[in-house]
Amino acid sequence: MTSIRTVIEPRRRRIPAILAAAAILTIASGSAAAFWLAGTEPTIAASQPGTPAVPVDVATPSITDVPVYLDGLGTVQANYTVNITTRVDGELQSVMFDEGQAVKKDDLLAIIDPRPFQAAVDQAAAKIKQDQADLANAQYLLAKDQRLSQQQIVSQETLEEQQAQVASAAAQLAQDQAAKEDADVSLSYTQIRSPIDGRTGIRRIDAGNEVHTTDTTPIVTITQTQPITVVSTLREDDLDAVRAALKAGPVEVTAMSMDRSRELASGTLSLIDNVIDQASGTIRIKSTFENKDDALWPGQFVMLRVKQQTLRKAVTIPSAALQRGENGFFVYVIDATGAAAIRKVTPGPIESGRAVIENGLAGTERVVTSGQYRLDVGTPVSIQQAAASKAVTKE
C-alpha cells in the first residue's frame, strides 16, 4: 500500500521576503517625503563622489546709491485755462491767431468792429470840449461878478448864483470825462488780447459772425502748458513718507509714460492735498514741471514717480536671485569649495530688476541667479562662463 506524505515548507523561508517588502516601503515613503519638501526649503545634500555639477548663472552684488520711489497714476493739468469771449457786442471782424499757435500775454487774437465804439469816443471827446468851454465862461463871469460885488454893483445873490454855475459846469465836465473813459474802455475791448502765455485750441467762432457778451461759446480756449502740473494719487499709507520727504527739502518727481518705457519730464512736488479720499484710501498730490519741450499735454495720463529717499551705499542683487522659503527670503551663494550654500537675507525695495538687500550679504559673494530649482545645500555647481562674464561686464 502506498502512502502519500505532505511536506510543509518551513516558515523561516518567508522572513527575507517580508523584510524586503518592508525595505521597499520605507524607501518609497522617504522618496515621497523628499519630493513633498522640495522647493520649500533647501536641504543638506550628502555630497557623493562623482556627483555631477549643476550649471548655474551667478552675479556679484553691487554697492551703489539706490533711489526709492513711490508710484501713482496722474493726470496732466494746465496751470491756467482761459475761454476767450467778447466783452462788447458787435461783428467779429478778424481773427489774428492760428489754431494750436503758441501765444504770449497781450498778443492780439481778434478784432471786433470798432467803428461804433470809436464814434462814441469821438462824441464823448466833443462833449468834454463843450463842457470845458462852458466852465471857462462860467469862471470868467464869476471873476467879473466878484469885482463888481466889491464895488457893490452886483448883489450877493447874483454872485452866489454864478458860483453855482461854475460848480455845475465843473461837475458836468467831470461826468463827461468819465463817459469818455467808459467809451475808451469799450473801444479797447474791440481788440481781444491774450491774458496769458499759452497755446490756442480749436477756433469756435469764425470771422464775420456777430458776437455778444452773453454768448456761452468762446472764440477759442487758451491753456498754459509751460509750466504745467500733474495731479496724482498715492496710497494713504504713503502720506508720512511723502511729508517726511517734503520736510527734508525739494522732492524730485518724474512723469513716465503709461507703459513706463519712457521718461517724459522731471519736476518737483508742490503740495499734498489737505484731505484723504476716504472712499479710495488715497491722497492727492500736485507736482510742477517746466515742460519746455511740451512733452506733457493737458489731459494726458502719466505714471508719476515720487523720489521718497536715496539709500546710500546699498547692496543690490538681481531680483531673480531672491528665493522665498518657509522661514523667509534667502539666496543661494557659491562657497569656497564651489558648492551651493544658502544665505538668509532681508530684502528692501526692488527697482529695475535689482533688489536691495538690507541684511545678509556683505557684497563680495557670488549669488545664483538661475538654476536654483536644482540646488540644495552642498550641491556642487558649475558656473556658466557666458553669464559670469556678462555679469562682470555689467559691474
Side-chain angles (χ1 to χ4, degrees), residues 10-225:
R11 290 180 178 273
R12 59 184 178 82
R13 293 192 172 220
R14 298 181 61 187
I15 292 176
I18 294 174
L19 293 177
I24 292 173
L25 287 175
T26 301
I27 294 172
S29 299
S31 300
F35 179 79
W36 175 260
L37 294 176
T40 60
E41 192 71 30
T43 58
I44 300 176
S47 180
Q48 299 292 336
T51 300
V54 175
V56 295
D57 294 335
V58 299
T60 303
S62 298
I63 299 178
T64 183
D65 294 342
V66 178
V68 179
Y69 294 99
L70 301 173
D71 294 348
L73 178 64
T75 305
V76 181
Q77 296 183 359
N79 273 354
Y80 296 97
T81 300
V82 181
N83 290 325
I84 303 300
T85 57
T86 180
R87 301 173 74 175
V88 292
D89 296 344
E91 179 189 351
L92 182 59
Q93 196 172 66
S94 59
V95 174
M96 313 297 291
F97 65 89
D98 294 327
E99 294 175 312
Q101 174 186 348
V103 295
K104 297 293 185 180
K105 183 177 181 179
D106 292 330
D107 281 355
L108 185 60
L109 301 177
I111 297 177
I112 307 298
D113 186 4
R115 290 173 297 178
F117 304 96
Q118 183 63 57
V121 170
D122 296 340
Q123 183 178 2
K127 189 66 171 64
I128 288 175
K129 290 182 179 180
Q130 180 182 351
D131 294 339
Q132 289 171 342
D134 292 343
L135 177 60
N137 183 60
Q139 290 172 337
Y140 168 76
L141 294 176
L142 176 61
K144 179 180 178 181
D145 288 345
Q146 287 174 341
R147 291 193 303 269
L148 295 175
S149 175
Q150 293 175 357
Q151 299 174 9
Q152 297 183 351
I153 299 175
V154 175
S155 66
Q156 184 65 28
E157 182 180 359
T158 302
L159 179 62
E160 290 175 356
E161 289 178 356
Q162 190 60 42
Q163 288 175 338
Q165 289 292 331
V166 171
S168 177
Q172 185 64 46
L173 175 61
Q175 179 180 350
D176 290 337
Q177 285 176 336
K180 168 70 163 52
E181 291 175 0
D182 182 67
D184 287 336
V185 170
S186 296
L187 178 61
S188 69
Y189 288 162
T190 62
Q191 293 188 349
I192 302 177
R193 298 183 178 273
S194 175
I196 61 171
D197 294 346
R199 186 175 297 277
T200 61
I202 297 174
R203 186 178 65 252
R204 307 288 296 278
I205 301 177
D206 296 328
N209 286 283
E210 287 287 328
V211 291
H212 305 86
T213 56
T214 56
D215 291 344
T216 58
T217 301
I219 298 173
V220 71
T221 299
I222 298 178
T223 56
Q224 185 187 72
T225 59

Side-chain angles (χ1 to χ4, degrees), residues 27 30 180 217 243 265 268 270 316 325 329 332 337:
I27 294 172
K180 168 70 163 52
T217 301
R243 293 180 63 186
T268 56
S270 301
T316 66
F329 289 94
Y332 283 103
T337 65

Side-chain angles (χ1 to χ4, degrees), residues 75-81 197-199 222-232 253 255 264-270 285-302 304:
T75 305
V76 181
Q77 296 183 359
N79 273 354
Y80 296 97
T81 300
D197 294 346
R199 186 175 297 277
I222 298 178
T223 56
Q224 185 187 72
T225 59
Q226 298 177 356
I228 205 166
T229 60
V230 172
V231 175
S232 59
V253 294
L264 302 177
S266 297
T268 56
L269 179 62
S270 301
I285 60 174
K286 187 176 183 179
S287 306
T288 303
F289 298 81
E290 289 298 325
N291 201 32
K292 294 297 185 183
D293 56 354
D294 286 331
L296 301 179
W297 209 253
Q300 179 181 4
F301 287 105
V302 296
L304 191 79

Side-chain angles (χ1 to χ4, degrees), residues 236 275-283:
E236 178 183 350
V275 65
I276 295 174
D277 187 343
Q278 295 182 349
S280 61
T282 58
I283 57 173

